[in-house]
Structures are given as C-alpha cells and as structure tokens.
Amino acid sequence: MSLTIEQIMCTSPVIPVLVIDDASHARPLAEALVSGGLRVLEVTLRTPAALKAIAEMKQVEGAIVGAGTVSSTHDYDAAMKAGSEFIVSPGLTRTLGKVVTSHGTPFLPGIATAGDIMRGLELGLTHFKFFPAMAAGGIPALKALAAPFYQCRFCPTGGIGADTAADWLALDPVLCVGGSWITPKGPPDYAAVEEAARKASALA
Ligand code: 3PG
C-alpha cells in the first residue's frame, strides 16, 4: 500500500536531498543512509544518472525513494517510470499539480509565498516544501506563512544544515527538513554519510 505524503514526511526528521553523478554509488549510498536511520531519500533529477539511481536505491530494504527537482510533467512521467514513491518539486504549477494529484502520487511541491500555498490548496494539497527556506526569509518567514494556513505542514529545504535543522524541527507545522548536507559533493564516503545520517535521525 502506498504511503501518504504525511506518513513519508513523518518517517524521518531529515530528507537527504541527493545529487547522484554515478549510478553505481546509488545503492551503497542508500544503504549508508538507511543504516544511519534516514529512510526517505530524495534523488534530484539534476544528473543523467538520477533515474537509474532511483531504481537502484529502491532495491535497498527500508528505503523510501522519491524524485526531486521534478519541474514538468515529462519529469514526472520519467520519475514514475523509474519507480519513484513520491515526488518533490521546487515550485508549484497548476499543470504539474493537476497531473500529480490526479494520480494520487504523494507530492511535496515547493512554495515560498501565500499565493503558492493557495494554488496548492486549490489542488487539494496541504503539505509543502518551503523552498528556498533560508533565502525566502528563514524561520520568521515560515512562521508568518504558516499562521494563516494553519492546516498546512511543511518541509523547509534550502540552506539548512546540521547546525540549524533542530531549530526548524522545533516549529509545530514542520514535519521534517530537507538538505544536502548529509551527502557532501565529491566521491562518497559511506561511513561519513552513515554517521551524518545517524546524527540527523537523532534530531527527531
Ligand atoms: C533542494 O534542491 O532542495 C536544495 O537544493 C537543497 O538545498 P541545500 O543544498 O541548501 O540543502
């Protein structure tokens, strides 16, 4: 049975935002993240290896693998074909929103303004990625946005790190945060990734 976006957001306090250049890294990376306690993995569609990486990561027991940076219906189709279990987008268009919601796919679209949230509510969505979290005003901005939209829940992403994640997670409307800090650029150091994942999962 497929999970709801709320269940996915509540699985771990941090969703690692992954940019994978080499699909052969995907499976060991997912194993390190899941061993460290982070089961929800967002693979961004920013590299040619991303779709293969999604399929590889899905083989890892316990992993819940989704596609990020989904910005068109073409991206959505490709992500679903690769086996994505949820979809994250940097923003929200009616075209993409209608297609994703019509299939009932767990969806976490990016919002940064009240108008964005209202567009989401019109599509029946209540769970959003607040992006780019720091550049869009940080915690004061999210608090101000969340007040009128009390029914909404958020995953702030963009500029959040190990040192600030806990401050965001302390906010009631925040179910989890996203970030790339768990997997720094360069050849993966799986032991370091597992350790960073362990620290991040302890933020719950
Ligand atoms: C994203 O795609 O969600 C962001 O690029 C992640 O932001 P970060 O690299 O600042 O964590």
Side-chain angles (χ1 to χ4, degrees):
M1 209 186 65
S2 85
L3 298 164
T4 64
I5 193 63
E6 166 125 354
Q7 288 169 327
I8 291 170
M9 291 170 79
C10 291
T11 299
S12 328
V14 177
I15 299 180
V17 176
L18 307 169
V19 180
I20 298 178
D21 291 311
D22 182 340
S24 72
H25 297 158
R27 208 187 281 218
L29 196 56
E31 282 164 358
L33 289 162
V34 171
S35 297
L38 298 184
R39 295 178 51 210
V40 178
L41 313 179
E42 176 189 335
V43 180
T44 58
L45 301 190
R46 293 180 206 172
T47 61
L51 294 170
K52 178 113 198 298
I54 290 170
E56 287 286 327
M57 289 183 146
K58 276 199 67 179
Q59 310 299 317
V60 175
E61 199 178 329
I64 301 168
V65 187
T69 325
V70 172
S71 39
S72 66
T73 56
H74 175 269
D75 286 348
Y76 171 71
D77 290 340
M80 295 311 286
K81 211 176 266 175
S84 301
E85 293 163 272
F86 65 95
I87 295 293
V88 184
S89 62
L92 178 58
T93 68
R94 275 189 66 75
T95 309
L96 179 62
K98 273 183 157 176
V99 169
V100 181
T101 54
S102 72
H103 288 93
T105 310
F107 186 31
L108 192 61
I111 58 88
T113 68
D116 293 342
I117 294 175
M118 289 162 68
R119 196 175 320 114
L121 291 171
E122 285 176 3
L123 289 159
L125 298 163
T126 49
H127 291 62
F128 302 103
K129 160 172 162 158
F130 176 49
F131 178 78
M134 286 309 293
I139 287 177
L142 182 60
K143 277 188 176 167
L145 276 174
F149 302 110
Y150 57 88
Q151 71 275 54
C152 295
R153 295 293 175 266
F154 301 92
C155 172
T157 305
I160 297 176
D163 50 337
T164 55
D167 298 338
W168 289 93
L169 289 164
L171 307 179
D172 283 342
V174 171
L175 299 183
C176 61
V177 302
S180 61
W181 82 87
I182 317 281
T183 56
K185 280 204 169 85
D189 173 343
Y190 301 115
V193 167
E194 184 173 334
E195 184 51 30
R198 189 159 289 122
K199 285 196 180 125
S201 61
L203 292 168

